[in-house]
Amino acid sequence: MVWWNVAFSPASNKAKPKGSDDAYKAICAHLKKLFIDYSCDLVALCEVSSLDITAITSQLNLTGISSLDLANEVGRTRFDIVVLYNNLKLEVSHTRSLSRVKSGNIIKAAQLIEVRPTDSEKLMKVYLCHWASRLNSGSEIKRKLAADIVYSSAQEFMVDGDDVIVMGDFNDNPYDESVHVNLNSSRCHESVIAYPKEYFYNPFWRSIISENKYSQLLVDKTSFRSGTTKYKQLNGTLWHSYDQMLFSGSFLGNGDWHLNENVTKVLDDYDFLNDFESRNSPIDHLPVLCELTNLER
């Protein structure tokens, strides 16, 4: 599975859409690489409109790939997500939109979908989230409220031992309160294994530190990339891990499916980085990928 903020059409009415023929052509090339080269079965994109979705799906032209348009309006704003998936291996359906009105503001918490492998009767519950931008006032409170809404809903499934995944652009890092406290996510395998119906496991703690380690010999390395997006903050941090995937304890040995952390990562190969770093591309986030395995299949 992949999550990717492609920055075509932010939900804000004040934001100018960035979709274009060249941008759609580029994203379709990336999507083909994800589905073919990376063998992805489900890709969720955010910051897209229904117009973007129509353009992308008409140009993608891949056999066996279906789409689920979740860019629906809620109040004066909208959700901005589409799910593309391999219909030969998965059945995907929309369950409900999670939102709440707080002091006249709509808190968009998540779109909940059900994912079922075609050879199984067991469903995975997947929450797709794009939380309030840090550029807007009151956004921290909105993100915490969104996390509370998602966790309260997810707990109903987790106590029954269901497989639950929360993925999205949280606009917070793994250590920030909305993700770490409100979503009850941990970097500690053993805590999640011991309390699988209570904690989410967050493998993207690993992404907050650069894989490149500085030394005097590192003369040809100019980038110490970490995380999925980059912008300047006054606290001295340029890189941020806002795009993450969280997994219920059932994926750490308490269920049929298992998270494969060797393949779970930020995708930063040349093609993705090239558009991420290009001034001619709207893309300002790198995608994140996970692999789930079941040895009996």
Side-chain angles (χ1 to χ4, degrees), residues 188-222:
C188 179
H189 297 85
E190 294 187 8
S191 289
V192 180
I193 292 169
Y195 305 101
K197 299 181 181 182
E198 183 176 348
Y199 289 103
F200 283 105
Y201 175 64
N202 188 353
F204 287 91
W205 274 88
R206 301 179 188 276
S207 69
I208 65 176
I209 302 297
S210 176
E211 293 182 0
N212 291 328
K213 301 176 179 64
Y214 180 81
S215 73
Q216 186 178 357
L217 300 177
L218 199 68
V219 293
D220 60 337
K221 297 288 186 180
T222 58

Side-chain angles (χ1 to χ4, degrees), residues 18-42:
K18 301 175 184 177
S20 66
D21 288 341
D22 288 342
Y24 296 141
K25 182 178 179 180
I27 198 65
C28 285
H30 290 310
L31 289 169
K32 288 179 180 179
K33 184 167 187 172
L34 289 172
F35 282 113
I36 297 172
D37 296 350
Y38 283 93
S39 302
C40 292
D41 294 313
L42 185 149

Side-chain angles (χ1 to χ4, degrees), residues 215-244:
S215 73
Q216 186 178 357
L217 300 177
L218 199 68
V219 293
D220 60 337
K221 297 288 186 180
T222 58
S223 175
F224 288 86
R225 185 201 62 74
S226 62
T228 61
T229 190
K230 183 180 181 181
Y231 78 95
K232 186 176 182 180
Q233 282 191 318
L234 296 179
N235 65 2
T237 302
L238 294 178
W239 283 98
H240 306 275
S241 295
Y242 291 165
D243 305 273
Q244 303 158 57

Side-chain angles (χ1 to χ4, degrees), residues 15-279:
K16 183 179 178 180
K18 301 175 184 177
S20 66
D21 288 341
D22 288 342
Y24 296 141
K25 182 178 179 180
I27 198 65
C28 285
H30 290 310
L31 289 169
K32 288 179 180 179
K33 184 167 187 172
L34 289 172
F35 282 113
I36 297 172
D37 296 350
Y38 283 93
S39 302
C40 292
D41 294 313
L42 185 149
V43 177
L45 305 178
C46 84
E47 288 203 5
V48 292
S49 66
S50 291
L51 290 176
D52 296 325
I53 295 167
T54 298
I56 292 168
T57 53
S58 64
Q59 294 184 36
L60 186 56
N61 194 28
L62 278 180
T63 302
I65 302 300
S66 295
S67 64
L68 182 62
D69 183 343
L70 301 176
N72 56 290
E73 293 185 359
V74 51
R76 290 182 294 178
T77 183
R78 62 180 173 83
F79 286 96
D80 57 0
I81 297 170
V82 64
V83 178
L84 306 170
Y85 63 95
N86 183 342
N87 59 39
L88 301 177
K89 298 177 69 175
L90 299 176
E91 293 180 4
V92 179
S93 59
H94 180 238
T95 300
R96 60 181 179 269
S97 303
L98 280 74
S99 63
R100 182 183 302 167
V101 178
K102 177 70 173 179
S103 300
N105 293 296
I106 294 179
I107 309 301
K108 295 178 295 180
Q111 295 275 26
L112 174 58
I113 63 172
E114 291 182 337
V115 178
R116 185 179 73 84
T118 53
D119 59 351
S120 172
E121 293 300 320
K122 192 169 183 180
L123 297 167
M124 298 180 191
K125 311 291 185 178
V126 182
Y127 292 83
L128 306 172
C129 309
H130 186 200
W131 292 351
S133 169
R134 290 184 169 225
L135 300 177
N136 300 326
S137 63
S139 63
E140 182 179 0
I141 295 173
K142 292 179 181 179
R143 291 192 296 274
K144 290 179 181 178
L145 286 171
D148 288 339
I149 294 169
V150 172
Y151 187 74
S152 177
S153 174
Q155 264 280 280
E156 297 179 14
F157 302 118
M158 292 167 70
V159 295
D160 290 333
D162 291 344
D163 296 325
V164 182
I165 301 171
V166 181
M167 67 171 73
D169 174 3
F170 301 127
N171 273 299
D172 270 335
N173 285 293
Y175 48 79
D176 284 315
E177 193 169 338
S178 68
V179 180
H180 182 45
V181 178
N182 297 77
L183 270 182
N184 218 25
S185 67
S186 175
R187 62 179 175 81
C188 179
H189 297 85
E190 294 187 8
S191 289
V192 180
I193 292 169
Y195 305 101
K197 299 181 181 182
E198 183 176 348
Y199 289 103
F200 283 105
Y201 175 64
N202 188 353
F204 287 91
W205 274 88
R206 301 179 188 276
S207 69
I208 65 176
I209 302 297
S210 176
E211 293 182 0
N212 291 328
K213 301 176 179 64
Y214 180 81
S215 73
Q216 186 178 357
L217 300 177
L218 199 68
V219 293
D220 60 337
K221 297 288 186 180
T222 58
S223 175
F224 288 86
R225 185 201 62 74
S226 62
T228 61
T229 190
K230 183 180 181 181
Y231 78 95
K232 186 176 182 180
Q233 282 191 318
L234 296 179
N235 65 2
T237 302
L238 294 178
W239 283 98
H240 306 275
S241 295
Y242 291 165
D243 305 273
Q244 303 158 57
M245 298 174 169
L246 317 180
F247 301 86
S248 60
S250 58
F251 290 100
L252 299 187
N254 290 287
D256 296 333
W257 291 92
H258 299 264
L259 173 67
N260 182 5
E261 284 195 86
N262 294 310
V263 188
T264 299
K265 60 183 180 179
V266 179
L267 284 178
D268 60 351
D269 69 17
Y270 174 79
D271 290 333
F272 295 107
L273 275 176
N274 191 46
D275 269 355
F276 175 82
E277 294 173 349
S278 172
R279 293 184 177 180

